[in-house]
Amino acid sequence: MADSSRETVLNGIRTALRRGPVSESVRRELDGRLADHPASVVPSIARGGRDALVARFIAQAEASAATVARVAPDGVAAAVADLVRRHNLPARVAVAADPRLDDLDADGVLTVDRRGTPAPDDLVGVSHAVAGIAETGTLMMASGPASPSTLNMLPDTHIVVVRATDVAGGLEDAWDRLRALSTDGLPRTVHFITGPSRTGDIEQTLQLGAHGPRRLHVILVDDGPDALGQ
Amino acid sequence: MHVTSRRFKDNVRGAVNDANLRQSLATMKTGFRVKRGLAVAALPEFEALREAGKAIKTHTLEHLDHYLEHFEARVLERGGHVHWAPDAETARRAVLDICRTHGAKTVTKGKSMVAEEIELNAFLEGHGIRPVETDLGEYIIQLRHELPSHIIAPAIHVRKSQVASTFRESHPQFPADRPLEEPRELLDEARTVLREHFLGADVGITGANFLVAETGSSVIVTNEGNGDLTQLLPRVHIVVTSIEKVVPTLEDTGTLLRLLARSATGQIMSSYTTVSTGPRRPDDPDGPDHFHVVLLDNGRSRLLGGEFQDVLRCIRCAACINHCPVYGAVGGHAYGSVYPGPIGSVLTPGLASLEESASLPNASTLCGRCEEVCPMKIPLPRMLRHWREQEFARHLTPARTRWGLRAWAFAARRPWLYRLGTGLAGRLLSRLGRGRGRLARLPLAGGWTQVRDLPVPPPGGTFMARYKRGETR
């Protein structure tokens, strides 16, 4: 039954296109396109030098209603603590099991309740992004042991650390990083996050905080001007 | 696909007299349209991206079988499953079988127009499984037992006071005197209620904006985050989607993403673009254990290789709907199809039948705005005309219209008769409307004069007569 459904659909397509299965030469051409995955039109906002890209990333992220704090490499814990204070958030946080986020509770301000997936009532989550995308002010999060996908979605407040050297230009750079990251297919869930969750479903009035986080705070780590591979 | 477009004319009468609907549709004009305009103007490469997007989709459609097979192979490699569905019934059965295998009682759903097309909710309910819509707009209309009236803003026709009374009825667990005047309060209540559903569901169903052949991934674009909680928390993720959603590579997806959010809501990027590939990996801390893709055809393959192939390029951004003067006047429900507006008027006769939906291709002024704003450059007005031609050729046009067209054709092929007729009619009309310049009533033209006056020609004969006399420049 399943097989016959498959053949029905595929044969329907071929009949409509007035041909049989694609020929060997066409197949090679199509598989070549898949293997080369050529880029198409890349907008100018996706290109630029390091400083321009970081500046654009910040501007676009802020335009999407995220906040951005730029800190030195050793300033992450203090920046999280500062966010918690300024936004009156609980000092108990759920933190992704990423070694780069190991010392958040070192100075005693924060209590790390959990490493890994959040509990449904965790209000603050902290994760580390794979990359930032300057074109759109987007954070790219890839699921894996160090980055639970539910942490991006369940807590009311999501704090994301991203390195300045990981700020890419456009989506094309993001896809490349993703391919470099994965040996065995893509990670199960790749989130491209641009601002907090929102809805306009009631009279087209924009409301932040629909089902995902109400607030998104980005901590941009200035990890040296020379490290960027652009 | 359940189509009630035969009642289009009656629906329209109801719609234009619905004050709530009028207000809702007015907001759309200042919302979506303005925002799209600003976003498009801010991207100098938008036109080039449209051409690129069109080329990607055209290329994919011409090799659709190959890319679908490639997509399927990648899904299987990653440990997922693909279910091919030639029709709605096969698709519904596939979903039900998966639900039963996993003993599912509650299913959360992200927004999916394909699920609407196959009427999945009613089917699941009929088999003892409770579907819960989680997109706020879809949730509202599910509680109100309505259909979506817009493909990206399904509850655009509902006023917030109506949402409030629906919530008061459907959420008896909250104090009866709670304030529900503000959108914020309504949203917070829905968030609280739906959180429980997200956490308790056995299966999560989403649609897909794109399927990536290169990686076997499904891509959804959302703002609320509901599609993510829907697919991340339950043990099973089912993607209910259709065959034309496949694109070759991630780069191709990127090109279409740049067009989609700008055309839909005027955003540069929606809050969440989620790329899902297979079930969770052994060392993943979360995510679904099972990943299924249901690939629906339901009449789409028939449209390939012919005059309607281009409609399969559609990425469901709703720009044509937001800019359509007819949709803006009557709203989505009048169309009697889950796909309203210009795109629906082309798609519905293709997926269902022209017999059921012949009113729709006629529900257009052919003003061309839809094609102007379509990111995929789909020639919608041309296709609406194709359907009208088919309607006439297949004798589906009402007898009165056919008779009228035949009478007109008879005269038009005899210039002397045409001139005589128009001259007489013009003189008669200008005499009847003398002094006022318009007629409020005219026998045999009630359809026109019921809602507007008929302007009468000025005295002095037809344009051709005056032209001959040298009265025109």
Side-chain angles (χ1 to χ4, degrees), chain A residues 14 18 29 50 54 70 97 99 101 112 130 136-137 143-144 147 154 168-169 179 188 207 224 230:
Chain A
R14 288 166 187 150
R18 289 177 286 276
E29 201 183 303
R50 172 198 156 77
V54 170
R70 212 169 166 175
L101 300 172
V112 175
V130 174
T136 50
S143 64
S147 182
L154 277 175
R179 288 195 188 97
R188 150 64 208 180
Q207 301 286 327
Q230 294 293 308

Side-chain angles (χ1 to χ4, degrees), chain B residues 342 346 361 364-372 378-388:
Chain B
V346 173
S364 167
T365 63
L366 301 180
C367 73
R369 258 204 250 168
C370 48
E371 183 175 359
E372 248 168 63
I378 301 170
L380 290 160
R382 196 185 79 204
M383 293 181 172
L384 291 168
R385 278 196 295 269
H386 285 323
W387 281 127
R388 291 181 189 186

Side-chain angles (χ1 to χ4, degrees), chain B residues 288-308:
Chain B
D289 296 320
H290 306 276
F291 180 69
H292 294 266
V293 181
V294 177
L295 277 177
L296 179 73
D297 182 341
N298 210 25
R300 287 166 175 78
S301 61
R302 280 201 311 267
L303 301 178
L304 287 168
E307 57 196 334
F308 296 107

Side-chain angles (χ1 to χ4, degrees), chain A residues 135 150 184 188 208 212, chain B residues 72 78 184 191 231 258 286:
Chain A
E135 175 186 358
T150 48
D184 185 25
R188 150 64 208 180
L208 295 183
Chain B
E72 179 193 38
R78 298 272 76 77
R184 179 82 255 165
R191 180 180 165 110
Q231 64 170 285
R258 285 182 175 124
D286 53 17

Side-chain angles (χ1 to χ4, degrees), chain B residues 397-407 444-447:
Chain B
T397 315
R400 236 169 68 175
T401 311
R402 297 182 71 83
W403 183 86
L405 283 171
R406 258 202 302 272
L444 294 178

Side-chain angles (χ1 to χ4, degrees), chain B residues 451-468:
Chain B
V451 286
R452 46 191 155 2
D453 290 345
L454 181 75
V456 301
T462 63
F463 173 81
M464 286 306 288
R466 296 177 64 185
Y467 184 79
K468 274 193 181 153

